[in-house]
Amino acid sequence: MGPLAATIGGISAAIGLGAIFGLPYCIAFVLTVALPAWWLGHLALLGRPVAAAPSAGNGAAAPAPVLEWYPVGRILLWTAGFAALTTMAALFTLGSDAATITAALRRGLLRIIGARAGDTEQIVDALVTIAPAAAAVVAMMTLTLNLWLAAKITATSGRLHRPWPDMKSAVLPAMTLAALSLALALCFTGGLFAMLGQIASAALMMAYALIGFAVLHTLTLTMKSRALWLSGVYAVVLVFGWPVVAMVGLGLADAVFGFRQRYLQRRTPPPVPSS
């Protein structure tokens, strides 16, 4: 399993969709599904040697070198980038300015909910406002879930070339905070740039939400009822949705204050003094 298999699968799926639905659907699938999946899969299997294997010296084959695998946090940042870019590309199919995109979104939403809801205008205005950010969140979670499922299936089959990573230790690159700050600043500019800023902010915040879950898994390591607490948190987030904001805050706080690092340092026993 590797890039060649992913390429063959992506091309086959794109040709099938193109034959059934036409060239535009084929191109859209390649740009929004196949290409991100191929690149994320490539990064997940990317490794480099960090230590030279010692020579056996007796003619025996040298052991395999120790490999450093591409960090999970950087893969998560790539996922957020793809989610933002594909959402932006989808919006640009509706128009090239904020007014045109908003009008297209309104027309589409009116066709969906027009006669089935009261106070239609207010509902549509609210949905149009949150639609770009919501689309970025859906794209982010879809890409993340697909990559996780693909890795789990490959690991179950015994064909995963890298060891399963420790998700609790995932850390986003330091530049992610700067990128999020810039995206949030764009949200206050108005027009098309504000819309793009909302998309980028939503994708990056979801990345920090996933880091927040990693922080939660770390901080509850010593709790006796850890499984119950974690299950409850996941259930609340899945049912209500909005509590994910707390996970975003936890992920951001960890990036600034290093909660996990401090917690693990306190749990690590001091070194034994030499006699």
Side-chain angles (χ1 to χ4, degrees):
M1 305 296 289
L4 179 59
T7 301
I8 295 173
I11 292 175
S12 301
I15 292 175
L17 286 174
I20 299 172
F21 299 106
L23 183 61
Y25 285 92
C26 173
I27 296 174
F29 172 81
V30 170
L31 295 179
T32 62
V33 178
L35 183 60
W38 180 89
W39 182 247
L40 293 175
H42 166 70
L43 292 179
L45 298 176
L46 192 62
R48 63 181 180 183
V50 293
S55 175
N58 57 0
V66 178
L67 294 179
E68 178 186 24
W69 298 98
Y70 200 79
V72 174
R74 290 185 177 273
I75 296 176
L76 192 58
L77 181 58
W78 273 101
T79 306
F82 276 121
L85 289 176
T86 54
T87 305
M88 292 175 189
L91 285 187
F92 280 125
T93 63
L94 303 177
S96 57
D97 59 87
T100 304
I101 294 172
T102 301
L105 288 174
R106 285 179 61 85
R107 289 193 299 271
L109 289 171
L110 282 171
R111 286 197 297 268
I112 295 173
I113 67 171
R116 292 179 291 172
D119 300 326
T120 302
E121 290 297 323
Q122 290 81 356
I123 294 174
V124 170
D125 288 340
L127 291 177
V128 167
T129 301
I130 67 173
V137 170
V138 172
M140 175 68 182
M141 298 313 299
T142 300
L143 286 172
T144 304
L145 181 60
N146 286 345
L147 181 62
W148 183 84
L149 285 174
K152 272 295 183 183
I153 293 171
T154 308
T156 302
S157 68
R159 294 177 179 271
L160 187 63
H161 294 166
R162 68 178 288 174
W164 191 260
D166 180 13
M167 300 297 184
K168 299 190 302 298
S169 63
V171 179
L172 289 171
M175 68 173 184
T176 311
L177 272 178
L180 178 59
S181 300
L182 177 60
L184 289 172
L186 286 176
C187 294
F188 297 95
T189 59
L192 182 60
F193 284 110
M195 194 173 290
L196 299 181
Q198 292 169 12
I199 293 171
S201 298
L204 290 173
M205 284 185 177
M206 287 310 300
Y208 275 110
L210 295 173
I211 295 298
F213 281 108
V215 176
L216 186 65
H217 276 261
T218 300
L219 299 183
T220 56
L221 281 173
T222 58
M223 294 180 62
K224 294 182 179 179
S225 56
R226 180 173 183 259
L228 180 61
W229 278 101
L230 291 177
S231 300
V233 171
Y234 278 104
V236 169
V237 171
L238 289 174
V239 172
F240 297 102
W242 63 263
V244 75
V245 175
M247 293 297 102
V248 176
L250 187 57
L252 288 170
D254 180 71
V256 176
F257 300 108
F259 288 152
R260 280 179 294 179
Q261 183 178 3
R262 295 182 181 184
Y263 175 79
L264 293 175
Q265 285 176 348
R266 289 199 301 268
R267 291 188 67 234
T268 302
V272 179
S274 56
S275 57

